[in-house]
Amino acid sequence: MSKIANLEIDGKKYEFPLVVGTENEIAVDISSLRSSTKGIITIDPGYKNTGSCESAITFLDGEKGILRYRGYSIEELAEKADFLEVAYLLIFGELPNQEELEKFHADIKSHSVVDDDVKKILDAFPKSAHPMGVLSSLTSALTAFNPSSVDVNSEEQMYNAIVRILGKFPVLVAWTMRKKHGLPLEYGDDSLGYVENVLKMMFKSPNKEYEQNPILIDALDKLLILHADHEQNCSTSTVRITGSSHAGLFVSLSAGISALWGPLHGGANQAVLEMLEAIKEDGGDTKKYMAKAKDKNDPFRLMGFGHRVYKNFDPRAKIIKKAADEVLGDLGVEDPILDIAKGLEKEALEDKYFVDRKLYPNVDFYSGIIYRAMGIPTDMFTVMFALGRLPGWIAQWREMRLRKEPIGRPRQLYVGETQRSFKSINKR
Ligand code: CMC
């Protein structure tokens, strides 16, 4: 195949090199387009055809339903690794050996105390505040308590910033939930594993010992791994573009949390459960909601269906569906919501509208059902997604800085008024 793409505009020919990735994906390198054509740009709303960077972290093939972190399949990682190993893999590129993993965990623990004054900021939020808004604010506020900026040329400073946020973020997650529920704020327990510690910090009641449940630890570990990275999605692109101005790690993450909040992205897990609840309250008539989803005059979308990249199936959804069955079975929970979800899935998979548009259940269709069975409140679901996505955001931010990527600054095609004269107020 030719290594050149040809473009002809107004009889003039331009050549652009093709770049081939390690999985044989092909990209046209248009970085010289504007200068060589004297001002012509491309336009691609939603970046459906635009690669914003080269990345060696996550590979996904939406047609084949493949997702790999650093070359390892998501199926294998979900089955054999734990979340901290996956975090290390994403951030540093290789699975850690025992010694590296222990040091990584010890370093995270040594940074897991959050300044007590952060509680004052948390106190100022009304109990009704959405946890994602609170988490984004607290993550940004961490900068004020750790003001030294990271010299990205220093391995040591980079490493310290990474273990610091991996240590403090679960505390913020737990505090966000506890504050909402009027529970005293807990610090972590260094004797526990990363995920066990998260569960204890979230759920420990002030008047009794917290008893760990291995089923919940395993389920949360899996959910966090499945959410840990997903290449250049909306929140990750936000983290990279914020960090590209050389803004610090914590504020870049805070921007990513805000982007994740939206119902078309991470907020979908909350929206799915609210939708399933609404269907249940409405008598469980899934057909009615299928019709709404297909009606172009109705803004309703079937939450948890469709994906920008997966046009065959979402491999994470397969794993999660199985996990939902196992967790609910193990916990002895019978949830009518699960039956509605299964019914809706069956109908959608056989429906022409959904089949034609290649709309399949995504990762968030079943994750909320597991979170609910674990006792996590609905408005905390997206916070749990953020906890899982944290290593991915960190890995992407680190890669962007180490590759010395330029500031992210897209162009636009101006379609507004051309120059006109100012009209005084009495003539408008
Ligand atoms: N229900 C009904 N119709 C849908 C849905 C849906 N969930 N998703 C897409 N469509 C239709 C859409 O109306 C359009 O139809 P038409 O071609 O007739 O105009 C067609 O399918 C293509 O949709 P699109 O919005 O152009 O597709 P996109 O790639 O821009 O959007 C999406 C992807 C995930 C935003 C979208 O499928 C959606 O809104 N899904 C529901 C929200 C959701 O579950 N989001 C979680 C994504 S996975 C977790 C994550 O990555 O954060």
Side-chain angles (χ1 to χ4, degrees):
M1 194 180 71
S2 154
K3 292 208 166 69
I4 299 288
N6 295 297
L7 176 71
E8 191 174 325
I9 303 171
D10 220 5
K12 262 194 166 171
K13 292 191 169 128
Y14 304 93
E15 289 189 344
F16 300 98
L18 295 185
V19 191
V20 183
T22 49
E23 292 283 353
N24 295 321
E25 293 173 301
I26 301 166
V28 184
D29 177 354
I30 55 149
S31 47
S32 65
L33 174 70
R34 200 170 160 272
S35 57
S36 58
T37 58
K38 309 235 172 340
I40 295 178
I41 58 164
T42 55
I43 191 147
D44 185 21
Y47 311 120
K48 292 191 178 194
N49 307 279
T50 299
S52 61
C53 60
E54 289 184 1
S55 178
I57 301 170
T58 289
F59 171 69
L60 70 85
D61 181 327
E63 266 67 40
K64 296 194 185 123
I66 293 173
L67 172 61
R68 295 187 202 126
Y69 299 160
R70 303 278 190 187
Y72 296 100
S73 81
I74 192 65
E75 290 80 5
E76 215 178 355
L77 290 171
E79 193 191 323
K80 298 180 183 160
D82 72 22
F83 178 61
L84 219 50
E85 280 178 283
V86 170
Y88 188 100
L89 170 72
L90 283 167
I91 298 169
F92 302 112
E94 294 296 339
L95 284 166
N97 62 29
Q98 194 62 39
E99 199 183 316
E100 286 164 335
L101 185 61
E102 277 166 23
K103 178 177 181 326
F104 187 47
H105 194 191
D107 292 335
I108 289 171
K109 284 191 281 197
S110 75
H111 285 287
S112 63
V113 173
V114 172
D115 194 304
D116 220 47
D117 278 349
V118 173
K119 289 180 179 167
K120 292 185 193 154
I121 303 177
L122 185 61
D123 260 351
F125 283 96
K127 274 213 176 93
S128 57
H130 193 285
M132 283 298 275
V134 177
L135 185 68
S136 166
S137 307
L138 294 185
T139 306
S140 182
L142 278 184
T143 313
F145 294 89
N146 304 270
S148 56
S149 63
V150 182
D151 173 2
V152 297
N153 297 313
S154 155
E155 280 266 345
E156 195 192 341
Q157 284 194 31
M158 186 77 110
Y159 180 81
N160 284 340
I162 291 168
V163 289
R164 191 170 288 143
I165 190 67
L166 283 167
K168 297 187 197 308
F169 197 74
V171 181
L172 301 185
V173 164
W175 283 6
T176 301
M177 187 181 102
R178 295 181 75 87
K179 150 89 185 178
K180 204 169 166 65
H181 294 266
L183 290 164
L185 305 181
E186 294 279 321
Y187 286 95
D189 179 344
D190 269 7
S191 68
L192 299 174
Y194 192 82
V195 172
E196 286 168 281
N197 192 26
V198 169
L199 285 168
K200 182 172 173 189
M201 280 194 291
M202 286 176 76
F203 292 116
K204 188 184 174 316
S205 144
N207 49 0
K208 49 177 180 291
E209 283 299 308
Y210 179 72
E211 254 184 64
Q212 293 283 352
N213 180 341
I215 298 166
L216 298 193
I217 298 169
D218 194 51
L220 185 56
D221 216 48
K222 219 174 235 148
L223 281 166
L224 297 180
I225 290 172
L226 292 178
H227 284 95
D229 195 49
H230 214 231
E231 53 118 298
Q232 307 312 316
N233 55 82
C234 176
S235 57
T236 300
S237 299
T238 303
V239 170
R240 280 184 92 124
I241 209 163
T242 307
S244 77
S245 74
H246 295 193
L249 174 59
F250 301 163
V251 287
S252 303
L253 294 170
S254 163
I257 296 166
S258 300
L260 186 72
W261 190 357
L264 298 192
H265 190 14
N269 56 12
Q270 174 175 344
V272 168
L273 213 94
E274 285 166 355
M275 175 189 79
L276 295 173
E277 289 276 9
I279 298 176
K280 190 182 122 207
E281 293 303 308
D282 201 16
D285 185 357
T286 47
K287 292 212 165 43
K288 177 172 162 189
Y289 286 83
M290 287 287 291
K292 271 167 79 62
K294 292 190 282 184
D295 180 356
K296 287 288 152 210
N297 298 317
D298 190 327
F300 175 79
R301 280 190 165 196
L302 211 54
M303 299 314 286
F305 272 80
H307 198 276
R308 167 59 60 81
V309 187
Y310 294 121
K311 300 297 177 195
N312 185 345
F313 66 93
D314 179 341
R316 304 166 300 172
K318 271 196 169 177
I319 303 172
I320 280 203
K321 185 179 177 184
K322 195 162 159 268
D325 274 333
E326 283 166 9
V327 172
L328 267 61
D330 286 344
L331 294 175
V333 175
E334 278 185 27
D335 193 343
I337 289 287
L338 184 63
D339 298 331
I340 293 179
K342 283 185 175 167
L344 215 49
E345 180 184 355
K346 188 169 178 295
E347 276 174 47
L349 291 179
E350 289 165 0
D351 189 286
K352 191 170 170 346
Y353 173 99
F354 284 84
V355 173
D356 286 354
R357 288 169 182 73
K358 299 182 190 296
L359 301 170
Y360 296 88
N362 59 49
V363 67
D364 284 329
F365 192 61
Y366 284 106
S367 64
I369 292 172
I370 307 185
Y371 285 137
R372 187 164 119 121
M374 294 172 77
I376 296 174
T378 312
D379 60 5
M380 279 294 292
F381 292 177
T382 317
V383 166
M384 302 313 287
F385 189 155
L387 181 65
R389 185 54 54 89
L390 182 67
W393 286 333
I394 296 171
Q396 301 273 353
W397 174 87
R398 179 175 178 268
E399 181 181 75
M400 179 271 306
R401 290 303 309 268
L402 290 182
R403 283 176 182 252
K404 300 195 183 342
E405 282 179 16
I407 186 167
R409 203 301 186 186
R411 294 266 167 182
Q412 64 164 19
L413 192 67
Y414 178 70
V415 293
E417 298 288 346
T418 52
Q419 190 174 14
R420 48 185 173 162
S421 297
F422 184 80
K423 249 189 219 166
S424 56
I425 197 155
N426 54 350
K427 293 203 177 124
R428 287 176 218 162

